[in-house]
Every structure is written in structure tokens, then in C-alpha cells.
Amino acid sequence: MGDQDVYDRMFGSQTDGEMDEEKDGEGESETRGLGKGAQSFCQFSSSLRTVVRIKQKYQAMKKRRLELAGLGGGGLVVGAGLHTGAPVRSSPKIFTFETPSSSPSALSSLFLKMKKKKSRRVMFPSGGRRKAPVVQEHSRAKICLFLLCTILFFQVYNAIENLDDHVLKYDLGGLEKTLCREVFGQQGAMDALLAQLRDYLSTYVHSKPLVLSLHGPSGVGKSHVGRLLAGHFRSVVGEPLVLQYFVLHHCPLEDDAWRCARALSILVSETVLRAEEEEKIPLFIFDEAEHLYPELLDALSDLVRSNRSNEYLNAVYLFLSNQGHTHITMHLLYNSSSDSMMTASGHHRKLVKELNPLLRNTLVKLHPLWAEAELLPMTLLEKGHVMECFLDEMTREGFYPDRTNVERLAGEIEYYPVVGGHVYARTGCKQVVARVNLL
Ligand SMILES: Nc1ncnc2c1ncn2[C@@H]1O[C@H](COP(=O)(O)OP(=O)(O)OP(=O)(O)O)[C@@H](O)[C@H]1O
């Protein structure tokens, strides 16, 4: 049973105004003539009427709102009254609980529309500009990829720069020019020496030190090369990081060999530590290495071992020795005829390939240190190279480089018998300085 039925049964179908009047009259008669039970019934009926009236008003308001929103078919239509703002009542004049002709689906779609509309509204701060924020859609993956590529590029660039920096630091180009200008007849050996240095000095991370050993007969320029290298490295890494060790000068007495070995170990350790601090590679040159005592060789062997700490691995050891000179001389004298068309580097590579196994075998028997070394044999000098030595020395000493004089001086030097068109000097340029000094 609906609320309206309850109301009708109790008060009939009266209008709101009539009900108000009746309410007042009834109130008076109740207070005057009725008993206590009737009085409580009246109070109850009064509250019920109020409830019903409120509900009616709420329903009417709800319906009116729907009609105003433009929904057709209900109890109210918007017509001429629209202009005045007052709704015009068209059909049912009396409120019922009947469902309006508008379908529930239409209502729900209206609410959905309203909801959608509402959700699209953007609430702006009162003082701000009323402009919708621009949504920038950046892919995080793209940004990460871009960052990764940038980091990778800088790392590769930095690594290349570091390699270049190392080689540039030692000015191997300058060293090459110096050796080419100052050393005669040893181009193959000098190319091999520079290649070893270039390989080693291009990085600062090494698993073992570079151990080079120049071998050759007397007067072919071993000490000369040692001096040129020492001078160059002093200029690029500094005086304290270059050690030139002449055993007959630094340790003339064999009895002192043990003490000399200990002093040498300390000196080398101090130098490599200093070089490590300065991030440079030191150079240790041992001239007249054939005179090194076993104690000194033992100490050096211990220093060049690859299982030592990092500072010992970043160092260049250069040994200059005439050990194995007989093998070199014999090989050149017996193999010179067949390789006259070869370049200097090709000739040296052939010499190394054919001679080194024999040379190493001989040297390793003397001390295991030579097993660690890269052996670089130097060839005998020819008459043409000896003339260059005279020319150079005379110019240095201020003599006019007269060609006839140079040829005469070069003719006074001893030579091996001509082999395959080559005239090899027995003592290289060893006597050049002494003979020029006699002029
Ligand atoms: N290949 C060379 N080019 C230019 N000059 C040279 C060459 N070889 C030797 N000389 C000159 O001869 C001098 C002596 O040579 P050096 O002392 O270098 O010979 P060495 O091979 O060390 O001989 P030794 O084994 O007897 O010590 C040098 O000071 C240098 O002036």
C-alpha cells in the first residue's frame, strides 16, 4: 500500500491548503473534547501527515527538476511558462507514484551523461590561467636508451683519448725521427724496437713489464741507441724515471755483487713506485749487460716477474749486450747474398726468425732472465754506414765534411771479405770518434 493511499483513507483527497485548515480545526476540537487515547492518536496522525507531506513535496520537486532538464512525457512540460521561469502543469494534476512515461533507461542515460559531463570539468585554481595542461607523452624507454647511448659514446671516446694520450705522452713520433736521423744501418732493428714500445706504451694496464734486449757485435751502435733512448725518455717522463746502469761503473768489483744487487732492487722499487704515483712508465737501461753478475741477473729476474704488484709491471727494461754476436756475424756473412732485394724491415724480420731461436738458446743457458726478453739482433754495419758515421762525427767536431777525406778515413777501418756485394765493418763505427779526434 502506497503513502498516498494511507493519506487518502485518512484525510480524503484534499489539497495542501485544505489540509492545513483542517489541521488547525482538528487540533482545537481534540484539545477540547477528546480523551487521552484520542489525544495520542491525534499526535500520531499529525506526525504522519507531516511525513507524507514532506515526501509529496520531495517527489514533486524531483519530478519538476527532471522535467526542467528537458525530459518529455512526465507530469510537467516546459512551454510558455519557460519564458517566465514557471513550469506549466499539463497532465496528472494530482501526484501519483506511477512511473513517468519516460523509460528508466532514458533516465539512467541522462545520469550517465551528466556524470560524464561532470568528470570532464577541470578545476582551475582561482588565480591561475584557465588553460588546460599540455600532456607530454615521453617514452621512458626512449629516454633511457638515449642516456645509455650517450654514456657508451663518452666511454668509448674517453678510452680512445686515453690510448692516444699515452702514446702522445711518450712522443714516439719524435723518438722515431731521432733514431732515423742518428742511427745508421739499423733501420730494421729500430723499427722492431719502436713497434714494441708503441704496443707497450699505448696503455697503462700491463700483465708484465716490457723486457727488450739488443744484441750485436761491437761498434754497431747499441750504447749509442741506449743513450738516445735515455735522452728521449728523460725529456718525456723526467730524469728520476730513467736509470742507465753501467755495471762496470756502478759495481766494478764482483765481490760487491750481492750488495749491488740489493741496492739495484731498492733503486728499481723506488723508481717504479714513483712512476706509479705519476702514472708514467719508467725506463731502465742496462748497458754492457754481458758483464752483469749472476746476483744482479737474479735480482733483475725477480723484478721482471709477472706475479709482482702492479707498479712493477709498468716498466721498460732495455738490455744492451754483445752476447750472441758470433751467431749474428756468422749468420750475416753466410746469408747476405740471397736477400739483397729485401727492405730493411723485411731483412730484419728474416734475421729475427732465423737467428732468434739459436740466440735465445745460447742466452737462456747463461741465465733464465733471457727467457723473458724480446731479443732484437742488430746487424753489422757496412762501409757506407761507417762513412756516414765519419761524416756525422766530423760535422759535430767542426771539420769540413770533405768526401775524399771521409773515404780515406773509412778505408782505414777493417772489413770482412765482401759477401754478396756487402762490405761489413769488423768494428762498426767504434773507432770513428777516436780517428776524428786525431784530425
Ligand atoms: N749505427 C750507428 N749509427 C751511428 N753511429 C754509430 C753507430 N754505431 C756506432 N756509432 C758510433 O760509434 C760509437 C760507438 O758505438 P757504440 O758504443 O754504440 O757501439 P756498441 O755497439 O755499444 O759497441 P760495444 O759493444 O763495443 O759497446 C758511438 O758513439 C757512435 O758515435
Side-chain angles (χ1 to χ4, degrees):
M1 190 168 67
D3 294 339
Q4 185 67 39
D5 292 348
V6 175
Y7 181 76
D8 288 344
R9 211 176 293 162
M10 289 176 70
F11 306 105
S13 57
Q14 292 163 310
T15 61
D16 290 352
E18 286 166 354
M19 278 195 298
D20 289 343
E21 284 168 21
E22 201 175 323
K23 179 193 163 196
D24 295 336
E26 274 177 14
E28 280 174 26
S29 63
E30 277 167 9
T31 48
R32 265 184 270 128
L34 291 179
K36 214 176 180 180
Q39 200 175 350
S40 65
F41 175 73
C42 282
Q43 279 174 352
F44 169 71
S45 70
S46 167
S47 331
L48 191 67
R49 268 186 299 159
T50 311
V51 168
V52 170
R53 199 162 59 238
I54 289 166
K55 183 155 187 178
Q56 277 179 340
K57 279 191 176 178
Y58 168 71
Q59 294 284 1
M61 274 171 64
K62 193 174 166 185
K63 200 172 179 182
R64 212 177 295 141
R65 211 186 306 146
L66 287 173
E67 283 172 349
L68 274 173
L71 187 73
L76 294 172
V77 290
V78 181
L82 188 70
H83 301 291
T84 58
V88 176
R89 196 181 287 266
S90 62
S91 67
K93 292 192 168 115
I94 302 162
F95 173 78
T96 63
F97 281 103
E98 284 169 20
T99 329
S101 63
S102 59
S103 64
S105 64
L107 271 172
S108 64
S109 71
L110 175 75
F111 280 121
L112 274 173
K113 271 185 189 173
M114 284 169 75
K115 265 192 178 177
K116 273 186 187 171
K117 262 190 176 176
K118 202 172 182 182
S119 67
R120 277 196 202 128
R121 285 184 67 192
V122 180
M123 303 302 286
F124 295 99
S126 56
R129 287 175 63 194
R130 295 198 170 192
K131 190 183 170 190
V134 182
V135 182
Q136 291 181 336
E137 287 190 10
H138 287 299
S139 164
R140 282 190 178 179
K142 272 186 189 172
I143 294 166
C144 287
L145 190 69
F146 175 73
L147 280 172
L148 197 73
C149 288
T150 313
I151 291 165
L152 205 68
F153 169 76
F154 275 108
Q155 281 188 336
V156 171
Y157 180 76
N158 203 27
I160 293 167
E161 280 280 294
N162 283 347
L163 290 182
D164 286 351
D165 280 357
H166 269 283
V167 178
L168 288 175
K169 197 194 286 181
Y170 299 101
D171 187 23
L172 293 182
L175 178 64
E176 186 175 7
K177 281 179 191 164
T178 305
L179 294 177
C180 197
R181 191 178 58 243
E182 302 278 337
V183 183
F184 310 125
Q186 301 292 354
Q187 201 191 324
M190 293 307 101
D191 286 349
L193 176 73
L194 281 165
Q196 292 280 354
L197 288 173
R198 200 169 281 125
D199 268 6
Y200 190 80
L201 299 176
S202 61
T203 175
Y204 192 66
V205 183
H206 301 108
S207 56
K208 60 176 188 174
L210 178 65
V211 184
L212 300 169
S213 188
L214 284 173
H215 296 263
S218 179
V220 296
K222 299 182 295 292
S223 301
H224 183 52
V225 170
R227 281 193 294 272
L228 292 173
L229 279 173
H232 178 81
F233 271 78
R234 280 196 185 104
S235 69
V236 293
V237 297
E239 174 84 30
L241 300 186
V242 179
L243 171 68
Q244 264 184 298
Y245 195 87
F246 298 90
V247 63
L248 297 180
H249 169 73
H250 287 93
C251 193
L253 301 172
E254 196 172 357
D255 292 345
D256 289 338
W258 187 86
R259 187 188 53 79
C260 292
R262 193 168 162 71
L264 180 65
S265 291
I266 293 167
L267 188 61
V268 169
S269 301
E270 285 172 357
T271 310
V272 294
L273 273 170
R274 183 174 183 151
E276 178 85 355
E277 282 169 16
E278 295 179 23
E279 291 191 7
K280 289 174 182 169
I281 294 174
L283 175 66
F284 304 107
I285 301 171
F286 298 89
D287 206 341
E288 302 163 338
E290 65 274 12
H291 296 299
L292 285 169
Y293 309 121
E295 291 85 350
L296 286 167
L297 288 169
D298 289 344
L300 285 167
S301 192
D302 189 45
L303 287 166
V304 302
R305 272 207 329 260
S306 55
N307 61 352
R308 294 189 70 109
S309 55
N310 197 45
E311 62 267 24
Y312 289 91
L313 308 179
N314 296 325
V316 177
Y317 293 83
L318 178 66
F319 294 94
L320 309 168
S321 151
N322 67 8
Q323 286 165 316
H325 69 93
T326 322
H327 294 303
I328 296 169
T329 304
M330 297 304 278
H331 185 275
L332 287 168
L333 292 178
Y334 287 98
N335 295 282
S336 290
S337 54
S338 57
D339 53 15
S340 55
M341 296 295 285
M342 277 184 138
T343 61
S345 289
H347 177 80
H348 191 262
R349 273 197 295 275
K350 186 170 178 280
L351 185 72
V352 168
K353 194 179 169 188
E354 293 172 356
L355 196 64
N356 271 19
L358 184 65
L359 203 57
R360 192 179 296 279
N361 202 28
T362 310
L363 292 168
V364 169
K365 281 178 188 163
L366 298 172
H367 198 277
L369 170 69
W370 305 116
E372 306 288 331
E374 292 290 335
L375 306 181
L376 300 173
M378 292 177 80
T379 66
L380 290 169
L381 294 181
E382 294 187 48
K383 191 174 182 180
H385 303 132
V386 176
M387 284 173 70
E388 282 187 272
C389 284
F390 272 112
L391 212 66
D392 186 58
E393 187 61 28
M394 285 168 77
T395 311
R396 209 188 301 270
E397 291 296 320
F399 293 103
Y400 179 72
D402 178 32
R403 186 159 179 88
T404 321
N405 209 11
V406 168
E407 278 184 6
R408 183 184 61 81
L409 288 168
E412 292 173 3
I413 304 291
E414 280 188 62
Y415 296 93
Y416 288 105
V418 181
V419 188
H422 299 280
V423 184
Y424 291 115
R426 285 183 181 269
T427 53
C429 292
K430 190 86 180 174
Q431 297 172 17
V432 169
V433 176
R435 285 181 182 270
V436 170
N437 284 342
L438 291 173
L439 289 174

